[in-house]
Amino acid sequence: MNVATSHRTGPVNPSLKGIKYVIFPDNRIAQVWDFVMILAIWYYSFYIPFNLGISGGCYSGNFVVLLQINLCSYLTHSYHRWCLVFYESYFIFNTIVNMAFFVDTFLAFFRAYRDKNGRIVFNLKTIAKQYIKSGWFFINLLASLPTSSIVYYDARKHLRSGNFEALDNDNTRLYFFLEFFKLLRLFRIKKIMYTSELMSRFWERINIEIALIIKFIFLITMVSHWIGCIWGLIATQQAGGMGDELLNNLNWISHWHESSYVEGGLNPIGWNNAIQRYWLCLFWAIQSITSIGYGNIAPVTAIEFAFANALMLLCGMFWAYIIGNLVEVVQSMGSVNNAYLTRMNEANQMMNDFTVKELGDSAGTVHPNSIKRIRRFITHQRDTATKSWLDTNNACTLHDSYPTLSVLSPELQRVCALHLTRSLLETIPYLSSEYLSPEEQAEIAFQCVSIEFSAAEEFVAHPELGRGILIFRQGFAVTSRNAGKKSFVWKKDLADKPIDVNEVLVEDDYFKHHQLVYHFIGFTKVWFVPRSAILAVLQKNERAWKECARWRYFMASLVLYSLKDTTKTFDDFNDCL
């Protein structure tokens, strides 16, 4: 029986009824919608306080009506037309945002969610029950009321009939009060940002320090905005208006106007000067938060003093919280440089304890100035290495370089190892994906180490891991067949290319005095593939050995054998080192 027939004849699990209408968290459209709603909520968190505390509703429907019927006599004809276009566009924009809130209110009945155990709840009845029980349905419904449109049509009806008192009646004030319900959605924004797949991806990819700085800047801006709008609301409510009433009644704006107003400067008086009034209110708010206090704006009434006193207590704690977190973020951003300074200081202390300052040729090094080499090496680490290089030893495994690997599952560790090293392993023929499985390549990757060398260092074998293949990530080197004779061969264009691919397969004691010796020119980083790891994989994978590795083993043996009675001369690079 096919699937379609079974659906027609068999019983349907009750929990699956209506599942085709369910919107799951990983739905792309739902993710974009969540992002739009986050932007809309943040927009209202700035718009509503400004509309109520600063502009007095100039950005809502009643002011649009005034412009439409040309009752704003203080505006010139050209400025009047510009204002009409601006405010109508702004009113339409607010109406569209309000419609989005309305759609989102009922869209939540179809949104699957994760419970406290992380399981996805997709039964429509359970979703609806939880949504209504939480009370958010009623709050969202009130928040989606089209208050701007209601004010617009109500004001249009009364103003057309000459009833100008309609702009300042109880109904209009009630509509403005209902705008506050939109701010209640701010309590849900944390949950939306936490459950949104789009926001999760954003936080996973962005630099955390930069994101935290942006977060704190935004938080300071929003708090300053709210305080400024409340400060402006106190003055306008005491004055009973935003025109000459502000000057004729006792409030902080009239006091500032008498003591600090300059002709032609900032003027907070008048309905059409909402932006200038906002800058003055915001100026005082930022002063209060940051404890600067120029003193040119001060409370004068009992209400203003009460608000200022409460604000000083709260702002002290808020500013301490912001400064503490910003200091922690800045310290984290400078962690590499701090680690460099610490390491350089430790190195200087060590070098001060040197009993012999110059070792000479007897130490087996071609560079006499050891102190200079140590300092230059640590500086190169800071300039070219990541934090993990500063925190670990010189020879770093993948787990040392990327501590995140230790917290992942074995499967994810293997996948990450392939992402990090596969392109390098592909440069070694018998370790490429042509012969090895992903599991075998990952097995080798976890045994490899990253090593750093300073200028004039020599390398034959790792003291613990023995011989191996060097894949150069940075820097360059020359090689010789005999360290004692100092006969060198340049190795050019080494970036992400292996050396000693064939010869590493040969036994350690086979013509040992003719095997390759590396001499590094400048600071160099290499990725080291141990011979022991290579042989362990080749013993398990007969195909890689028979079809590729053994022929390279024979070629390397032949090359070393041919060198037993030959003496090659090259230019001496000792002066260059």
Side-chain angles (χ1 to χ4, degrees):
M1 181 181 294
N2 58 32
V3 175
T5 306
S6 63
H7 274 286
R8 288 195 300 267
T9 59
V12 178
N13 191 320
S15 64
L16 298 178
K17 287 185 177 180
I19 194 172
K20 64 180 180 179
Y21 302 110
V22 176
I23 304 173
F24 287 89
D26 59 349
N27 184 284
R28 280 293 184 90
I29 299 177
Q31 294 173 20
V32 175
W33 180 261
D34 285 340
F35 181 70
V36 171
M37 293 313 301
I38 289 172
L39 294 179
I41 294 172
W42 285 126
Y43 161 73
Y44 269 127
S45 70
F46 283 87
Y47 162 73
I48 293 175
F50 179 86
N51 194 38
L52 297 178
I54 304 296
S55 72
C58 287
Y59 290 83
S60 58
N62 54 5
F63 198 71
V64 176
V65 175
L66 283 173
L67 290 168
Q68 287 180 339
I69 63 178
N70 202 14
L71 290 177
C72 298
S73 58
Y74 56 83
L75 299 176
T76 62
H77 177 69
S78 59
Y79 187 62
H80 175 276
R81 295 185 61 184
W82 179 87
C83 286
L84 179 59
V85 173
F86 173 77
Y87 285 108
E88 279 188 336
S89 302
Y90 204 78
F91 169 69
I92 293 172
F93 173 75
N94 280 326
T95 303
I96 293 174
V97 174
N98 207 91
M99 291 174 60
F101 271 8
F102 184 79
V103 172
D104 185 68
T105 299
F106 292 92
L107 202 63
F109 283 105
F110 303 93
R111 298 290 301 270
Y113 65 92
R114 295 184 183 275
D115 61 14
K116 61 182 180 181
N117 296 319
R119 293 173 297 189
I120 295 180
V121 178
F122 55 85
N123 182 271
L124 289 177
K125 288 186 178 180
T126 306
I127 294 172
K129 183 178 179 181
Q130 176 63 25
Y131 183 37
I132 295 174
K133 185 179 179 181
S134 65
W136 279 108
F137 168 70
F138 305 103
I139 295 175
N140 290 342
L141 190 62
L142 287 173
S144 62
L145 286 176
T147 50
S148 297
S149 300
I150 293 173
V151 170
Y152 172 81
Y153 288 109
D154 186 62
R156 189 177 185 87
K157 179 180 66 175
H158 290 89
L159 290 176
R160 288 292 186 183
S161 62
N163 183 13
F164 299 103
E165 295 181 357
L167 289 178
D168 191 26
N169 57 21
D170 293 337
N171 289 337
T172 303
R173 283 191 288 270
L174 175 62
Y175 296 145
F176 286 159
F177 175 75
L178 291 176
E179 290 272 87
F180 277 107
F181 281 98
K182 292 181 172 62
L183 295 181
L184 292 177
R185 284 182 170 243
L186 281 172
F187 293 103
R188 288 199 67 199
I189 198 168
K190 183 177 181 180
K191 181 179 180 181
I192 295 175
M193 296 182 71
Y194 179 77
T195 57
S196 172
E197 295 286 337
L198 192 65
M199 295 306 299
S200 296
R201 292 178 184 178
F202 170 78
W203 281 102
E204 290 168 357
R205 296 182 183 183
I206 194 173
N207 182 282
I208 297 300
E209 287 84 5
I210 294 176
L212 288 175
I213 289 178
I214 294 174
K215 171 188 172 182
F216 290 126
I217 291 174
F218 182 82
L219 183 60
I220 295 171
T221 303
M222 187 178 70
V223 172
S224 301
H225 173 79
W226 282 12
I227 293 174
C229 292
I230 296 173
W231 188 236
L233 179 65
I234 291 174
T236 56
Q237 288 300 307
Q238 291 181 116
M242 299 187 181
D244 293 336
E245 300 90 348
L246 281 172
L247 293 178
N248 299 331
N249 294 276
L250 186 63
N251 57 78
W252 69 267
I253 291 182
S254 63
H255 180 262
W256 173 87
H257 196 274
E258 291 175 2
S259 61
S260 303
Y261 175 70
V262 178
E263 189 68 31
L266 186 143
N267 183 14
I269 309 302
W271 291 80
N272 58 324
N273 288 334
I275 297 298
Q276 297 189 53
R277 186 161 52 252
Y278 173 69
W279 293 133
L280 186 63
C281 295
L282 186 64
F283 179 73
W284 181 84
I286 296 175
Q287 285 186 80
S288 301
I289 291 176
T290 58
S291 305
I292 295 175
Y294 290 106
N296 55 341
I297 302 175
V300 293
T301 66
I303 295 177
E304 291 169 358
F305 269 103
F307 177 74
N309 288 333
L311 188 65
M312 284 187 287
L313 292 174
L314 295 175
C315 284
M317 295 183 290
F318 174 74
W319 191 239
Y321 166 77
I322 293 295
I323 292 298
N325 282 275
L326 282 177
V327 168
E328 185 178 345
V329 171
V330 171
Q331 286 180 340
S332 176
M333 293 178 69
S335 56
V336 172
N337 193 55
N338 291 336
Y340 162 74
L341 294 175
T342 301
R343 177 162 289 187
M344 184 61 76
N345 184 55
E346 293 172 350
N348 287 331
Q349 292 176 3
M350 177 189 71
M351 291 182 288
N352 289 335
D353 294 336
F354 281 180
T355 57
V356 178
K357 299 298 182 183
E358 301 294 339
L359 295 175
D361 295 336
S362 61
T365 176
V366 296
H367 201 302
N369 197 336
S370 301
I371 294 178
K372 181 178 178 180
R373 289 180 61 198
I374 293 170
R375 288 173 176 161
R376 179 56 53 189
F377 181 80
I378 296 175
T379 300
H380 276 303
Q381 281 188 318
R382 178 201 62 183
D383 296 338
T384 61
T386 62
K387 180 68 166 60
S388 61
W389 286 88
L390 294 176
D391 287 342
T392 56
N393 297 323
N394 191 358
C396 301
T397 64
L398 285 181
H399 283 90
D400 294 331
S401 299
Y402 305 96
T404 305
L405 286 172
S406 61
V407 302
L408 300 178
S409 65
E411 171 64 16
L412 280 179
Q413 289 186 32
R414 183 184 64 79
V415 171
C416 290
L418 291 176
H419 277 297
L420 291 167
T421 63
R422 190 165 197 172
S423 62
L424 302 177
L425 290 175
E426 293 294 325
T427 62
I428 305 172
Y430 46 82
L431 300 183
S432 67
S433 56
E434 182 180 354
Y435 298 105
L436 301 189
S437 65
E439 290 75 13
E440 291 173 323
Q441 286 187 319
E443 180 183 343
I444 290 181
F446 283 123
Q447 299 181 61
C448 299
V449 296
S450 297
I451 309 177
E452 296 171 346
F453 298 96
S454 64
E457 279 196 62
E458 295 180 356
F459 179 80
V460 178
H462 190 278
E464 297 178 1
L465 302 175
R467 293 165 54 217
I469 299 175
L470 300 186
I471 301 179
F472 282 70
R473 308 305 309 277
Q474 179 182 332
F476 56 97
V478 295
T479 61
S480 69
R481 288 292 179 183
N482 189 315
K485 293 183 178 181
K486 300 291 192 306
S487 298
F488 303 103
V489 175
W490 275 102
K491 294 295 181 181
K492 301 179 181 180
D493 301 324
L494 293 176
D496 294 338
K497 292 183 179 179
I499 297 180
D500 208 8
V501 172
N502 296 347
E503 200 165 298
V504 73
L505 298 172
V506 177
E507 291 80 0
D508 291 340
D509 296 330
Y510 186 77
F511 291 102
K512 184 175 183 179
H513 58 285
H514 285 307
Q515 292 179 2
L516 284 177
V517 180
Y518 298 89
H519 310 268
F520 299 98
I521 311 295
F523 181 81
T524 305
K525 284 184 183 181
V526 301
W527 198 60
F528 180 73
V529 187
R531 180 175 182 269
S532 57
I534 297 172
L535 296 181
V537 170
L538 292 178
Q539 287 177 356
K540 301 175 185 177
N541 193 319
E542 294 185 1
R543 176 171 171 267
W545 169 254
K546 290 181 178 179
E547 296 184 10
C548 183
R550 69 172 175 177
W551 304 112
R552 292 180 174 273
Y553 168 81
F554 292 145
M555 286 189 291
S557 301
L558 183 61
V559 169
L560 290 173
Y561 182 80
S562 65
L563 292 174
K564 67 175 183 177
D565 295 324
T566 59
T567 302
K568 297 180 181 283
T569 59
F570 297 94
D571 292 332
D572 193 354
F573 263 74
N574 191 34
D575 295 335
C576 297
L577 297 176

